Amino acid sequence: MASMTDPSFEDTDFSETINFINQILMEENFDHTPFHDSLTLQITQKSFSDALLHPLDMHNPNGRTTTCSNSNSNSSIDNSCELKPLSPHTHVSDQHNHPSISHNLDSSITNMLAQNIFSNADSVSLFNKGFEEANKFLPPQPQLSTGLDSSNFNMIREIALKGRKNHDREEEQEGRRSNKQTAISVVDEDELSEMFDKVLLNVENDCLQNEQPYSANGVKVDLRNLLLMCSQAMYDNDNRNAIGFLKQIRQHSSPFGDASQRVAHYFANGLEARLVGDGAGAQTFYSSPSTKRITASEFLKAYQVHFTSPPFKKFAFLFANEMIMKVAAKAETLHIIDFGILYGFQWPILIKFLSDREGGPPKLRITGIEFPLPGFRPTERIEETGHRLANYCKRFNVPFEYNAIASRSWETIRVEDLKIKSNELIAVNCSMRFKNLLDESIDANSPRNTVLNLIRKINPNIFTLSIVNGSYNSPFFATRFREALFHFSAFYDSIDTVIPRENEWRMMLEREIMGREVMNVVACEGLERVERPEAYKQWQVRTTKAGFKQLPLDAELMDKFKSKLRKWYHKDFEFEEDNKWMLQGWKGRILYASTCLVPA
């Protein structure tokens, strides 16, 4: 089987996108252009617009300071986050320029430890409850080992009770003192750390779903279960035990290791940011001037590796383009309205297809919709995308017209903004970007449904939709964390299989794209959490309610994808069909889904 990163690999269906990316990389001064990802743009823009509306309180329309909630499922979900700066020593993200990364818990976490350790008589019972609740998430077979059997748990309980007795005696002898003053002396940190090592690092444990646990000096460490236990402790506001679990995760995770170590590293970043700042840690991470920002050139090189190695984006692009071509076989003017066009990577393939159309190409109009850039030129990137596509169309003799719409709130776009003409065939497209639209948990008038209603008003001839198939949009942290962990574990594992671990562009993809998404899912709440994917069955309900019906999948095209998958890709990549959805996944987990719709 040919490797997708092998220079000898060639697939003519996708070569135009690679050529397009290479041409962009050759542009003058492009190496120095900063890259602004859509996730950061959404967060900073929402914060900026809120600041303009409410200058005294950036995030709360009622003028009251509100902190993001980590509480249990009975609590209401806050729609805002208090912006509290991180400690100067906080390690929220991995350091970019040094291979040995230190993740010592900082003074902020130490203070939190002092405020929470055994501060009331329910500490041990809370830990017990957290352990029991976390076990509910784990499948009964195969048994996922936690190292927390009854004897091990009793050892931790004894230390806890010992600490409580010592604390009571000290209070009797010296009078009242604050929890913060006595906390660190209650239980010796070395003793507790040693006990966690004995309890959580078990050499005989099995692991979840055929994933082998990371081995450190012959000791197997189940990083996935440590992450689940840490998230459950945070969900129960048991910060003392959350810190203990986080320390163990930090000792055995790395952005340079295998897939499980890398996943654990980036999820630990999110947990630490949430623990320190209740969501504000991630906000500071996104907007801090000291945070190393990648250039647009670096992003494109990382994207190119992502595009050429797994089949996910290739198949999604080709699926949409083939279906659009089928509908537009005799159209004189084809108008594509693209929600989330970014650099326009999808369209060079279509332009090549159109140029070869029997009878000559139609006139191509593209309306590109994207988030505005910060500063005085908010439409700069989206306009540059139009210029590049125009040059590409000129090369293939395809008449071209472009309309750029830079909007921070896609639900506010009007039909008249799209400049639709009466004699054109209309194709609406969105490739994996609707996951960033807010939903009903934030706004009763869901922007997702509003955008779908807008598309229905457009009355397109075809609506091509590709989505990230994820179930980590729960308003409840523990549920969201678990689903996100399983989703990103599958993605990181697929990358680990097909791209060398030392590949710098892979590491950049994991750190700057996937790692930032993990940070947003884990550390943010309310308006700051913009990574909100839903499962394809949920999108099917939404689109049906908005007045769409699905088109059948093209049998010939599906056979073509299956053939390509067998010929060019690793055997663990999966391709399925379900209820008129094209599904792509890895080792049994569906990661992406695509479908075509028309007005009902």
Side-chain angles (χ1 to χ4, degrees), residues 35-38 299 303 338 340-345 369-370 381-382 385 402 433:
F35 173 69
H36 299 278
D37 65 297
S38 59
F299 166 77
Y303 182 92
D338 189 9
I341 192 170
L342 194 61
Y343 290 100
F345 297 135
I369 300 171
E370 192 50 84
R381 185 169 69 187
I382 190 172
T385 295
Y402 186 76
R433 292 292 298 277

Side-chain angles (χ1 to χ4, degrees), residues 351-366:
I351 292 169
K352 176 68 164 55
F353 286 170
L354 292 175
S355 70
D356 296 331
R357 192 183 74 163
E358 184 178 351
K363 178 180 180 180
L364 177 61
R365 299 185 67 221
I366 293 181

Side-chain angles (χ1 to χ4, degrees), residues 212-233:
Q212 295 301 315
Y214 162 69
S215 179
N217 298 324
V219 179
K220 294 180 180 179
V221 184
D222 193 342
L223 286 168
R224 178 180 287 181
N225 200 40
L226 281 171
L227 287 163
L228 288 172
M229 296 294 289
C230 185
S231 69
Q232 185 63 38

Side-chain angles (χ1 to χ4, degrees), residues 124-142:
V124 178
S125 62
L126 280 175
F127 179 83
N128 194 3
K129 175 186 174 186
F131 172 61
E132 293 173 355
E133 289 295 321
N135 270 333
K136 294 177 183 178
F137 291 119
L138 306 180
Q141 295 294 335

Side-chain angles (χ1 to χ4, degrees), residues 214-339:
Y214 162 69
S215 179
N217 298 324
V219 179
K220 294 180 180 179
V221 184
D222 193 342
L223 286 168
R224 178 180 287 181
N225 200 40
L226 281 171
L227 287 163
L228 288 172
M229 296 294 289
C230 185
S231 69
Q232 185 63 38
M234 293 181 66
Y235 186 62
D236 289 333
N237 290 321
D238 185 1
N239 293 328
R240 175 64 190 93
N241 285 308
I243 291 167
F245 289 126
L246 186 57
K247 289 177 67 177
Q248 294 295 325
I249 296 165
R250 285 300 194 196
Q251 289 175 11
H252 302 288
S253 62
S254 167
F256 309 106
D258 61 21
S260 63
Q261 289 175 279
R262 296 184 187 211
V263 168
H265 170 78
Y266 291 110
F267 271 82
N269 282 349
L271 287 168
E272 186 173 322
R274 186 180 183 92
L275 191 65
V276 173
D278 287 331
Q283 169 70 15
T284 303
F285 171 76
Y286 293 129
S287 58
S288 172
S290 62
T291 301
K292 181 183 182 295
R293 299 305 307 275
I294 63 173
T295 65
S297 175
E298 289 172 323
F299 166 77
L300 287 190
K301 292 173 182 176
Y303 182 92
Q304 193 167 18
V305 169
H306 183 207
F307 184 82
T308 56
S309 299
F312 304 133
K313 286 187 177 293
K314 287 183 179 181
F315 284 9
F317 285 179
L318 187 56
F319 171 79
N321 289 344
E322 290 272 12
M323 296 303 290
I324 291 172
M325 278 290 298
K326 185 177 180 179
V327 173
K330 298 181 179 179
E332 294 183 2
T333 301
L334 170 61
H335 185 178
I336 296 173
I337 301 169
D338 189 9
F339 285 85

